[in-house]
Amino acid sequence: MPRHPGRFITFEGTEGAGKSTLIGKVRERLEIRGVRPVVTREPGGSPVAEKLRSLILGEAMDPRAELFLYEAARAEHLARTVVPALEGGRWVICDRFTDSTLAYQGMARGLPWNEVRAANRLATRGLSPDLTVFLDVDPGVGLGRSTDPNRFEREGLAFQREVRKGFLKARKEGARRWLTLKPGKATPEALAEAVIKELERRKWLPPARR
Ligand code: TYD
């Protein structure tokens, strides 16, 4: 059980997995059930963190510099947005979080895994998501979807495969908080329903009459 009254749910996946659409649908369903979540994203989610976001996504840089900028944005985002919301009893839905750092900077950029873990811990003070929804798509399928690729999407397929490997390794290390969805041909509605069912299974939402 979380150490705060709210619930902290992160969404992760490789590029083009459909996270944003799913987050929108889950939010709608939660609102129908009387939960008004704070929806946020990383990098970003607070004024300083959004400035760091443009810096990070705008320019190629040394992988260690990249790591520390993500962590700087994260510390700021947590302090200003996430922690106050959770402590106030709100649910927080976050598009990407520490598992992205393990997958991208740890696995795909090749920085030492345990040191990336330690950097995450420093930035978050040990706050971990209560649930992580992982959209597991074939990186080949996801990459084709983006109309405006950022510099990570332009890294190509081999990089995205490493990213996926990173997510799978992160999942192994903390399996209980992970819900893996394989979109395949499932509609965003069906995926959102699967998330809601998981929340009911965990008794965070009362069962609904269907
Ligand atoms: P964004 O355009 O939001 O991508 P997406 O829609 O796929 O989430 O850009 C965020 C990018 O930052 C994305 O390519 C993944 C990357 N990223 C990291 O490399 N490390 C991190 O810790 C985080 C949070 C994101």
Side-chain angles (χ1 to χ4, degrees), residues 8-208:
F8 184 26
I9 305 174
T10 59
F11 284 72
E12 300 280 9
T14 46
E15 311 291 342
K19 279 182 291 103
S20 323
T21 312
L22 177 58
I23 287 173
K25 299 277 173 207
V26 168
R27 171 192 224 157
E28 278 170 21
R29 281 170 185 251
L30 283 176
E31 285 177 352
I32 292 169
R33 306 285 289 269
V35 176
R36 218 161 38 82
V38 172
V39 177
T40 183
R41 66 171 178 183
E42 289 209 344
S46 77
V48 169
E50 287 291 333
K51 283 193 181 159
L52 289 172
R53 178 187 173 93
S54 338
L55 192 65
I56 302 168
L57 298 182
E59 239 153 312
M61 61 184 77
D62 176 83
R64 283 175 172 74
E66 191 176 283
L67 170 69
F68 288 125
L69 287 178
Y70 277 114
E71 301 296 6
R74 176 163 299 139
E76 192 48 36
H77 177 220
L78 285 174
R80 311 273 165 217
T81 307
V82 177
V83 170
L86 291 172
E87 286 180 345
R90 299 284 299 271
W91 290 37
V92 176
I93 290 184
C94 190
D95 186 344
R96 296 196 181 279
F97 195 57
T98 43
D99 298 302
S100 277
T101 323
L102 286 167
Y104 283 80
Q105 280 66 52
M107 187 63 77
R109 293 271 192 243
L111 294 181
W113 186 268
N114 287 332
E115 292 182 23
V116 174
R117 240 185 204 304
N120 277 343
R121 205 160 39 236
L122 192 62
T124 60
R125 300 167 183 242
L127 177 76
S128 152
D130 301 311
L131 175 69
T132 295
V133 178
F134 174 46
L135 278 180
D136 188 14
V137 298
D138 172 0
V141 174
L143 262 193
R145 281 197 196 155
S146 178
T147 47
D148 176 24
N150 68 27
R151 67 185 181 86
F152 292 91
E153 289 159 339
R154 289 196 296 266
E155 294 274 352
L157 198 51
F159 184 85
Q160 290 304 322
R161 289 204 202 289
E162 286 301 298
V163 169
R164 176 166 183 269
K165 233 168 79 185
F167 281 125
L168 297 181
K169 180 168 177 182
R171 181 178 69 180
K172 231 187 208 158
E173 293 178 352
R176 279 188 37 224
R177 73 170 156 91
W178 286 68
L179 170 68
T180 300
L181 301 176
K182 287 185 182 280
K185 292 197 177 69
T187 61
E189 280 74 18
L191 295 171
E193 178 65 17
V195 175
I196 297 296
K197 282 221 170 98
E198 176 68 18
L199 300 175
E200 290 172 355
R201 197 185 67 77
R202 289 173 183 248
K203 301 197 166 35
W204 297 355
L205 284 179

